[in-house]
Amino acid sequence: MGKTFSKPEALTDAHTHYCPGCTHGIVHRLVAEVIDELGIRENTVGIAPVGCAVMAYNYFDCDFQEAAHGRAPAMATGIKRVRPDLMAFTYQGDGDLASIGMGEIVHAANRGEKFTTIFINNAIYGMTGGQMAPTTMPGQRATTAPAGRDVEATGMPIRMCELLSTLATPGYISRQTVLKPKYVNKAKKAIKKAFEYQKENRCYSFVEIVSTCPTNWGMTPLDSLKWAEDTLLPYYPLGEFKTPEE
Amino acid sequence: MAKVLMKGNEAIGEAAIRAGCKNYFAYPITPQSEVAEYLAKRMPEVDGVFLQGESEVAVGYMIFGAAACGERVMTTSSSPGVSLMSEAISYIAGARCPAVFVNIMRGGPGLGGILPSQADYFQATKGGGHGDYRLLVMAPEGVQEAVDMTMKAFDLAEKYRGPVMIMGDGLIGQMMEPVEFPEDFTPTPMNNDDWATSGMATRGTDKRNLVKSLFLDPKQLNDHNLLLKAGYDRMRQEEVRYEGYNTDAEYKLLIVSYGTMSRVCKTAIDTMKEEGLEIGMVRPQTLFPFPEQAIHDAAAKESCSHVVSIELSMGQMVEDVDRCVKGQRPVTWYGECGGDIPTPEEIIDHVKSLLKN
Ligand SMILES: Cc1ncc(C[n+]2csc(CCOP(=O)(O)OP(=O)(O)O)c2C)c(N)n1
Ligand code: SF4
Ligand SMILES: [Mg+2]
């Protein structure tokens, strides 16, 4: 019998520190597979966020930089401006990207920087223990919103794909998820497209992945998949929001 | 090369290019926006990178990302902007990346004013950002020295693998002076294959590089800080620079002053010398490492009865001067911090009043 399963070359042998049922690991694998398939590992620089994926550099086997909280898009800008021949991707959570790093992501996208962002929207601050994120759903409980998110006081959750799609600069903006196997293939296709646009020096590319955080949602992995599908997907619809062809 | 007349800000921009820095990121702020305006024209001529970032916060990290690739890179700003960059400076120091920052200081705190100041002495030499790091800080007294220091800054940043800062003030940025760029200067960037994220293919290796400042293990973080400290200790051994002015004379009083302020002091010292009053000065050219021994020894001269730190701040460097003099002589502060610069006459009056008491 031939080999039926192998680890992408772009992943190291390290065991991840992610909780059981967390979707960070699946997304790592998809990104690594795309890097392998495009044969770009030796020319790629990843930028880790501050969030649960802060140690993503232990899992991806390519050059890596570790950013400050929210600043990965500015670092990727620095990389691509001085070394346009390299491939760069940022991997960021929703607190990192949509709260503290909102300025950096919007301006990088608007300049049409030729890098790729993988945006993990799990509607919570995972790493710091379940505080409210800009993406937390109305009524969703968080340690800093113990009675549930009060939209009168904190506004409605921010939809990043919709927001970035309003920019007039051409870009690739897509929202996907990995909650079920049928979604995983689509998510991988979008990630591959995003890297291809970068490789062709076409545009900025952004793939949001609606994700889970069973630990801080206080749910079992299975319940969190269901909750995400029932609650997050209606508010965060999947699909391509913008392509450079438009 | 013949001398050319240039504004300090433009000369700093040109010096960076001559030093092999083809990458510049910045956000406009008075009194240094001319650097950005100059490089917006010049960088494309040398196939270099010019980018106006959306904020000094972002610019700090553009510098980090570029520096982490091992490319020579610079930004310039002024006090409020440098406050915003201080987070990135801490990360860059922690991640051990070479980069050059220029602060053309203006008055503070807060929005302060737009006139010359030296009120960011503490910020540059004692921290600014968080954590145990130091910046190698050079302070030019005029346009020529600003050029020389800028050109040297890139080599020093690479030698120590860390951020280097040039501290000028609004006057140095704005004034025009004749400058000479060295003719036969060939930039010699150090090999950085062992740490830079320049791409494995570029380095021809299968070993990836990581640029990071996170060390969760206490032993590892302590070791990392010891490594940084070793670099700062080596700076103290090898990089101290200062000028002694009239220090061969039997001076009655010692001035410590730097940058624009020290030039006014020189005029005052010359005038007093003509009157028969000898005054000496130590002018730090590096603010970190600080010329500790030189100030200690100059204060110890038998004829010297007093040491005064003259600065465009409300008394910051004076704390370091006092630390170096070690109680041998009284140490006091004199200066202004609104944007006006004390005149030679005011300095002479102050020195004479100190000698009377
Ligand atoms: C400047 C700064 N502020 C705050 C923090 C603390 N902090 C670390 S991670 C984080 C939130 C991470 O949440 P998210 O980006 O959603 O990532 P996740 O862990 O959910 O994947 C915060 C607030 C920090 N490290 N730096
Ligand atoms: S805390 Fe949440 S986001 Fe972080 S690893 Fe655990 S499940 Fe994943
Ligand atoms: Mg999150």
Side-chain angles (χ1 to χ4, degrees):
Chain A
M1 201 178 119
K3 206 169 174 184
T4 55
F5 182 87
S6 62
K7 180 183 71 64
E9 209 190 345
L11 285 184
T12 64
D13 290 330
H15 285 282
T16 75
H17 66 285
Y18 300 117
C19 309
C22 176
T23 44
H24 269 302
I26 303 176
V27 182
H28 279 26
R29 188 179 165 100
L30 297 184
V31 172
E33 284 177 1
V34 166
I35 290 174
D36 277 10
E37 285 166 24
L38 296 178
I40 55 173
R41 189 178 72 94
E42 300 193 324
N43 287 311
T44 295
V45 184
I47 300 121
V50 178
C52 277
V54 64
M55 283 186 284
Y57 52 74
N58 283 338
Y59 313 133
F60 286 103
D61 195 7
C62 61
D63 279 0
F64 241 85
Q65 301 181 4
E66 173 204 76
H69 197 24
R71 315 297 176 216
M75 294 184 66
T77 299
I79 296 170
K80 289 296 293 205
R81 292 288 171 143
V82 306
R83 288 292 307 275
D85 57 312
L86 293 175
M87 297 284 290
F89 74 95
T90 69
Y91 185 104
Q92 304 177 253
D94 42 0
D96 194 81
L97 182 142
S99 188
I100 195 167
M102 182 60 107
E104 283 74 17
I105 194 70
V106 169
H107 283 277
N110 192 56
R111 285 189 302 263
E113 299 292 345
K114 309 295 185 293
F115 68 86
T116 300
T117 295
I118 307 297
F119 171 43
I120 304 298
N121 177 6
N122 57 10
I124 201 91
Y125 283 17
M127 187 198 212
T128 38
Q131 296 84 10
M132 191 187 80
T135 45
T136 296
M137 294 301 289
Q140 182 188 339
R141 267 210 277 269
T143 56
T144 48
R149 180 177 186 161
D150 173 6
V151 296
E152 286 299 319
T154 64
M156 290 293 286
I158 296 178
R159 291 189 267 230
M160 284 308 300
C161 285
E162 287 81 342
L163 191 152
L164 293 176
S165 302
T166 65
L167 301 172
T169 308
Y172 176 69
I173 311 286
S174 173
R175 182 184 288 123
Q176 303 295 332
T177 188
V178 291
L179 297 173
K180 283 184 174 161
K182 67 170 181 188
Y183 295 130
V184 174
N185 281 337
K186 279 196 176 159
K188 182 173 166 187
K189 278 200 187 113
I191 293 171
K192 191 160 182 182
K193 242 180 170 176
F195 275 88
E196 279 168 346
Y197 281 128
Q198 178 182 174
K199 205 173 170 207
E200 294 159 10
N201 211 27
R202 286 284 288 283
C203 62
Y204 173 68
S205 51
F206 179 95
V207 181
E208 171 174 344
I209 309 283
V210 177
S211 301
T212 63
C213 177
T215 302
N216 288 300
W217 292 355
M219 296 177 197
T220 64
L222 276 180
D223 287 348
S224 53
L225 291 172
K226 183 164 176 358
W227 184 82
E229 206 164 17
D230 295 347
T231 317
L232 295 182
L233 291 192
Y235 189 81
Y236 297 113
L238 306 181
E240 269 179 2
F241 287 78
K242 188 169 166 174
T243 61
E245 289 82 15
E246 281 164 20
Chain B
M1 192 185 145
K3 288 201 170 181
V4 287
L5 198 62
M6 271 184 114
K7 224 182 195 190
N9 282 334
E10 299 183 345
I12 287 170
E14 184 61 30
I17 290 180
R18 306 278 179 125
C21 169
K22 300 286 178 66
N23 307 297
Y24 175 81
F25 301 84
Y27 188 83
I29 183 168
T30 307
Q32 63 74 53
S33 297
E34 294 85 357
V35 189
E37 288 160 2
Y38 182 79
L39 290 176
K41 278 195 298 256
R42 272 293 275 149
M43 277 303 183
E45 290 171 11
V46 296
D47 288 329
V49 173
F50 169 88
L51 184 64
Q52 179 174 327
E54 65 269 31
S55 70
E56 288 90 347
V57 173
V59 165
Y61 289 96
M62 290 172 186
I63 296 288
F64 187 9
C69 291
E71 301 292 321
R72 290 196 161 182
V73 62
M74 177 176 88
T75 186
T76 60
S77 188
S78 181
S79 312
V82 175
S83 290
L84 284 189
M85 287 176 187
S86 295
E87 185 198 38
I89 291 174
S90 164
Y91 277 77
I92 292 168
R96 300 186 67 219
C97 292
V100 175
F101 290 81
V102 179
N103 182 0
I104 302 295
M105 290 177 279
R106 56 187 254 179
L111 214 40
I114 57 169
L115 294 171
S117 163
Q118 296 177 326
D120 301 343
Y121 179 89
F122 281 154
Q123 184 191 54
T125 62
K126 312 288 177 194
H130 58 284
D132 258 315
Y133 75 90
R134 295 293 190 143
L135 287 174
L136 201 164
V137 185
M138 294 187 279
E141 64 162 359
V143 179
Q144 182 66 55
E145 206 172 44
V147 164
D148 298 342
M149 286 178 173
T150 303
M151 294 189 68
K152 199 171 156 61
F154 294 93
D155 287 339
L156 288 172
E158 284 167 15
K159 176 174 173 186
Y160 292 99
R161 269 185 66 186
V164 169
M165 183 170 277
I166 313 274
M167 293 278 276
D169 56 62
L171 199 70
I172 288 171
Q174 296 297 325
M175 73 182 164
M176 285 184 106
E177 285 192 309
V179 281
E180 200 170 355
F181 293 94
E183 212 149 312
D184 51 357
F185 185 90
T186 317
T188 46
M190 278 169 71
N191 183 293
N192 50 36
D193 283 354
D194 57 329
W195 64 266
T197 54
S198 48
M200 292 188 281
T202 308
R203 300 189 296 278
T205 168
D206 201 38
K207 196 190 137 291
R208 84 229 180 84
N209 283 336
L210 294 182
V211 172
K212 65 176 186 112
S213 61
L214 178 70
F215 299 92
L216 288 176
D217 177 74
K219 166 97 172 58
Q220 270 186 20
L221 182 57
N222 194 54
D223 287 350
H224 181 66
N225 273 301
L226 284 172
L227 184 69
L228 294 179
K229 182 176 182 300
Y232 306 142
D233 288 343
R234 185 172 169 207
M235 287 177 195
R236 290 183 172 102
Q237 295 296 316
E238 297 179 19
E239 310 305 339
V240 173
R241 284 175 69 206
Y242 63 92
E243 180 195 10
Y245 195 74
N246 201 37
T247 39
D248 289 337
E250 296 299 312
Y251 47 86
K252 296 265 185 294
L253 175 146
L254 180 73
I255 292 173
V256 182
S257 189
Y258 70 98
T260 292
M261 192 63 250
S262 66
R263 284 175 74 164
V264 184
C265 291
K266 283 183 178 175
T267 306
I269 289 169
D270 292 349
T271 307
M272 289 186 275
K273 197 177 179 74
E274 279 166 23
E275 293 173 7
L277 177 58
E278 298 287 4
I279 303 296
M281 178 167 74
V282 172
R283 174 174 77 88
Q285 291 165 300
T286 50
L287 301 181
F288 183 86
F290 198 62
E292 299 177 359
Q293 195 64 45
I295 290 171
H296 176 272
D297 295 353
K301 194 159 200 162
E302 209 152 342
S303 60
C304 175
S305 66
H306 196 104
V307 181
V308 59
S309 177
I310 303 186
E311 347 166 14
L312 299 176
S313 80
M314 283 294 137
Q316 298 190 17
M317 182 174 69
V318 64
E319 293 189 10
D320 279 336
V321 175
D322 195 37
R323 182 170 60 82
C324 301
V325 172
K326 293 197 165 79
Q328 304 173 94
R329 303 282 181 267
V331 176
T332 53
W333 160 83
Y334 180 68
E336 262 189 71
C337 198
D340 287 337
I341 298 169
T343 62
E345 293 70 38
E346 285 169 329
I347 291 169
I348 292 168
D349 283 351
H350 184 74
V351 165
K352 286 182 177 169
S353 75
L354 287 174
L355 288 173
K356 225 178 262 160
N357 297 336

